[in-house]
Each structure stands twice: as C-alpha cells, then as structure tokens.
Amino acid sequence: MDFKEYYKILGVAADADLKAIKTAYRKLARKYHPDVSQLADAAERFKEVAEAYEVLGDDKKRAEYDEIRKYGGKQYQRTGANAGAAGGGGYNEQDFSDFFSSVFGDSGFGGSGFGGSGSGGPGDGSSGQRRTGGFGDNGGGFSARGGDLEIDLPVLLEETLSTESRQISYQLPQVDAHGGRLASATKTLNVKIPKGVSDGERIRLKGQGAPGVGGAAAGDLYLRVRLVPHPLFDIEAHNLLITVPLAPWEAALGGKITLPTLQGKIQLTIPPDSQTGQRLRIKGRGLPMKNANGDLLAVLKIVLPAQTDKDAKVLWQQLADKHSFDPRQDWS
Amino acid sequence: MPNSKATFETTSVIISTHEISRETGLSIEAIVEVVEHGIVEPEGDAPEYWQFTGTCLCTLQRVSRLQRDLGLNWSGIALVLDLIDQRDQLQAENEALSRRLARFESR
C-alpha cells in the first residue's frame, strides 16, 4: 500500500492554509470531474483529488495525516477513533484508496446508493446538500442499494433496422454480506436492442447493475448505444450518406447504376450532366425512426481511371479539341 | 447465475419523480428546480405525475454529481450541461465530416 502524497496531489505546500487548499481542490475538481473532463484517466484523477481534499480539508484528518507524514509515512494504521466513521458524506462513486481506508477507516463500498430507508422522499429537506449515506443504520446490519453500471454497446447500422437480440457480457462487482469487495464476476445477458436506436441513446436494464448489500435492491445497468462506423455509409442525423464514384462519361451521359443500401441493393438513375458533390435523395432508405425512416443520400464523386491507355488518350484528345469548356472561368 | 438466460426487453422505461429522487439522491424540491430550469423535460403536469426517461435519469445523475462535487448552482449546472452537449455534438460532427472528407479525397 502506498503512502499518498495529498499535498502533491493538490499541488499545495505542506503549510498551505485551508483557503489555499480549498482553491486548489476546486480548480482540480473542475478540471478532472468525470462529467466534464475528456481525459481518459479523469475519473481516477478526480478520485485522487477528492480523497486528498477529504483529508486536507478537514482539520482533524489533516492533523492525523501530518503526523503520519512526519514519520515518513511508515507508521500509518487504522485508528480506533475514526474507524468506520467515514461511511457518509464525501465522494461516493468509488471508494478511496487502501491508504485512506487504513488511516481513516473504510470509506465504504457501494456508497452510490441509499439504504432502503426512504431517503430523498418529499420534504426531507436535503435540497442542496451533498449526498450522504450509502448505508442504512450503523447500529444494526446495514443495507445499501447496489451501484449503477454503464457500458458501451457497439451497434452495427444493420442492427438498427429491426429488434435484434444480442448477447452482452460485462464485469459485475461483487460484495460480501458486509459490503466488502470481492473479485468481480462476468455476467452474460441476452438483450433486445430496440428498433431505431440512435447513437448515444441509453438503454436501461433494471436491476442488472451491482448487487445490493444486506438485501437491498441491485443497481441498474445502462447500455450506451454506440453506432459503429460503417465501411460504406455515413450518418447525418437520421439520413445515411453514401459516396458514389462515377466515371466521367457516366456523369456526363447519365445512366443506371446498382446502389447498395442498408436494406439491400437498388437501381439508381444518374441524371445526365451530374457533378461531383451532387446529392441524390433516396427516400426511406436511411436509419429507421419511430414514424418514417430517414433517407439515403447518394453523394456523387467523379473519378478517373488510374491509368489511361493509348486509345483512351485519343478519345480524350478529341473531346479536348472539340469542347470549349473552361472549368476555371471564375478565376479571371 | 440467475437471469443469465432471460432476454431483456429494453424499450422505453418510465421513471417516477420518487424513483428519480431515490436513484439520484436529489430531493423532490431539487428535482422541481431542475425541471424549472429546463435541464430535463418530463412528461406530465405535476411532480407527482411526472414521467422521466432513462436518458433523463442519467442527466439527473450528472446534475447530482456536479452539484455535489463542484458546488454549482442550478443555472451553472444547466449551462455546463448545455456546453458539454454542444462540445460533444461538435466533436461528433467533426469526426463525421473528417470521415466523409477522407472518402472524398481518397480514390
């Protein structure tokens, strides 16, 4: 177990006053808050900062910590006075470090929920307060609702077309009867992905999150839908886009081509004198929505062969000689 | 493991104000404030009839964390969430445009 350099974590001197500590904490909390920050390790950093402030922002805890620190962090151990006292208050999404627990008692695992004692009911006056609790009653056995879990659910565009059943596996945290953490278990579920899901949408599976402690309800599992980038189609709101390469003569003369769509192949008519970047709309071949489907937009792109043989060069030359087209007339 | 064979229907969950309060730790008064700030928009005329979606619940959990961890007031939270949404949208748009540009520039 490592000694935690709380002063270093907050970036303050060891003799900093409470005001400086508070300011440092606020700045770092804003920077690393997992709901705001995009850093990959934001949650970890935020937890560290919250833990440091939990100690340094409290005179009693800070004095105790300073004492340990004075002896090079060698002598820390759980003190009777504080053991088990930290169940309420403070950061409760994840538990604090082993170092914190060993010095100040267990910060409690699974604190992200409430005991079944009706907290948060009407008129309980908890408005504007930090969320406390996580455990029912310290006297008897406690109970705590299990935490919610959120996992990403990659969904192929094809899978949004109809209600699909999918098997998902995830790590489920396990706790013993006293709320102690055990190794997590892999859980597998069959999930029906509703038709027409969109990117970023959350699907809630009631009671499939972390188990509760002491007979309390399990938390919920949230699946965050992530539409997987498709090799052919791009998404624009509920519409799909497909880039259609055309030979110059196809663009000039028009014609019919076979176009892949999410729902199978169709024939698409290319009008004569088509241009690169032009969009052709195919109604109802986009992503499914509640009422009607989105559209498929075919974006034209004129391409040339990588190499032209002698015969082709002759033909191009004829065109060049006979055609008085100046693509750069806007420049003059 | 129990339930592992069951198939879960995942369509539209409806969550009551009371349940939201229990899940997020926000008091009913706080939820009323949040709704009055337009941060979430439940169906229904009065708090006892409000119906929230799963996305609402996630937003309210963010609200709860932001209030608790950063000490923001409701207007501040509303602004932060709006700006984060805008940022996420712009990022998604940027990625989509980059992908499309790549299709256009490559042969």
Side-chain angles (χ1 to χ4, degrees), chain B residues 25-40:
Chain B
L26 293 168
S27 69
I28 303 283
E29 293 90 326
I31 296 170
V32 171
E33 284 271 357
V34 171
V35 171
E36 280 173 359
H37 276 80
I39 297 173
V40 289

Side-chain angles (χ1 to χ4, degrees), chain A residues 7-44:
Chain A
Y7 291 106
K8 221 182 199 169
I9 289 169
L10 289 186
V12 293
D15 60 352
D17 61 5
L18 189 58
K19 219 174 120 191
I21 288 172
K22 210 175 244 176
T23 304
Y25 164 70
R26 283 179 178 153
K27 277 172 86 168
L28 292 170
R30 278 200 304 270
K31 188 170 170 192
Y32 293 123
H33 197 280
D35 285 313
V36 179
S37 172
Q38 294 190 304
L39 297 171
D41 61 347
E44 206 49 45

Side-chain angles (χ1 to χ4, degrees), chain A:
Chain A
M1 179 185 348
D2 293 331
F3 177 77
K4 289 275 178 184
E5 288 286 357
Y6 290 143
Y7 291 106
K8 221 182 199 169
I9 289 169
L10 289 186
V12 293
D15 60 352
D17 61 5
L18 189 58
K19 219 174 120 191
I21 288 172
K22 210 175 244 176
T23 304
Y25 164 70
R26 283 179 178 153
K27 277 172 86 168
L28 292 170
R30 278 200 304 270
K31 188 170 170 192
Y32 293 123
H33 197 280
D35 285 313
V36 179
S37 172
Q38 294 190 304
L39 297 171
D41 61 347
E44 206 49 45
R45 301 291 290 272
F46 182 77
K47 197 174 82 175
E48 228 176 39
V49 167
E51 179 179 320
Y53 182 65
E54 183 77 21
V55 174
L56 300 186
D58 178 300
D59 284 344
K60 242 181 93 187
K61 286 201 184 105
R62 184 179 178 186
E64 226 174 304
Y65 173 75
D66 284 344
E67 197 64 24
I68 294 163
R69 195 167 166 271
K70 212 161 65 188
Y71 296 108
K74 293 279 186 288
Q75 267 192 334
Y76 53 85
Q77 53 179 275
R78 194 182 181 117
T79 58
N82 276 311
Y91 192 64
N92 56 25
E93 292 304 314
Q94 287 135 308
D95 50 353
F96 288 155
S97 68
D98 290 344
F99 168 73
F100 182 93
S101 310
S102 79
V103 178
F104 302 106
D106 201 339
S107 69
F109 172 69
S112 61
F114 284 80
S117 57
S119 43
D124 71 348
S126 69
S127 172
Q129 287 182 5
R130 282 159 75 95
R131 190 165 157 190
T132 57
F135 294 98
D137 182 11
N138 272 340
F142 57 74
S143 66
R145 184 183 171 277
D148 294 335
L149 300 172
E150 186 178 283
I151 56 173
D152 276 353
L153 178 71
V155 174
L156 300 175
L157 292 187
E158 288 82 355
E159 290 177 318
T160 65
L161 292 180
S162 59
T163 304
E164 291 269 338
S165 222
R166 256 274 287 287
Q167 199 171 67
I168 55 158
S169 291
Y170 58 104
Q171 293 296 311
L172 193 64
Q174 301 285 315
V175 288
D176 63 23
H178 307 290
R181 183 177 271 188
L182 304 172
S184 49
T186 303
K187 186 164 182 176
T188 306
L189 287 179
N190 280 317
V191 172
K192 275 189 182 166
I193 303 168
K195 183 182 171 184
V197 286
S198 54
D199 197 43
E201 192 176 320
R202 285 184 180 85
I203 295 170
R204 181 195 193 206
L205 299 181
K206 229 182 143 157
Q208 299 300 321
V213 178
D220 300 332
L221 173 68
Y222 288 88
L223 304 175
R224 190 168 189 183
V225 173
R226 292 278 172 222
L227 292 182
V228 179
H230 193 279
L232 288 182
F233 304 108
D234 292 312
I235 303 166
E236 197 179 73
H238 284 281
N239 296 330
L240 289 176
L241 294 167
I242 182 168
T243 302
V244 182
L246 291 177
W249 46 92
E250 285 178 315
L253 305 172
K256 276 195 187 311
I257 63 157
T258 304
L259 185 75
T261 77
L262 214 47
Q263 299 93 336
K265 287 183 173 158
I266 59 163
Q267 290 291 109
L268 176 68
T269 305
I270 307 293
D273 297 322
S274 288
Q275 295 281 2
T276 286
Q278 194 176 331
R279 291 173 166 206
L280 304 177
R281 183 180 292 268
I282 301 111
K283 280 234 171 276
R285 294 281 181 158
L287 290 176
M289 290 190 290
K290 287 209 172 67
N291 301 317
N293 284 359
D295 301 332
L296 174 64
L297 298 164
V299 187
L300 306 183
K301 175 190 177 186
I302 296 166
V303 294
L304 289 166
Q307 274 166 347
T308 2
D309 59 24
K310 223 172 162 185
D311 293 348
K313 281 207 167 69
V314 171
L315 292 170
W316 282 120
Q317 191 56 55
Q318 284 177 18
L319 197 55
D321 293 343
K322 286 181 184 154
H323 212 313
S324 59
F325 172 53
D326 178 10
R328 290 170 298 280
Q329 63 181 11
D330 286 353
W331 284 10
S332 50

Side-chain angles (χ1 to χ4, degrees), chain B residues 19 23 28 32 34-35 38 62 70 72 91 94-95 97:
Chain B
E19 205 181 349
E23 304 277 319
I28 303 283
V32 171
V34 171
V35 171
R62 285 159 78 199
L70 303 184
L72 298 178
Q91 259 168 11
N94 199 303
E95 277 164 32
L97 287 173

Side-chain angles (χ1 to χ4, degrees), chain B residues 11 18 21-22 29 46 48 52 55 61 63 71 73 79:
Chain B
T11 37
H18 218 84
S21 172
R22 204 181 60 229
E29 293 90 326
E48 54 270 39
F52 296 86
T55 308
Q61 275 165 338
V63 167
N73 61 21
L79 181 64

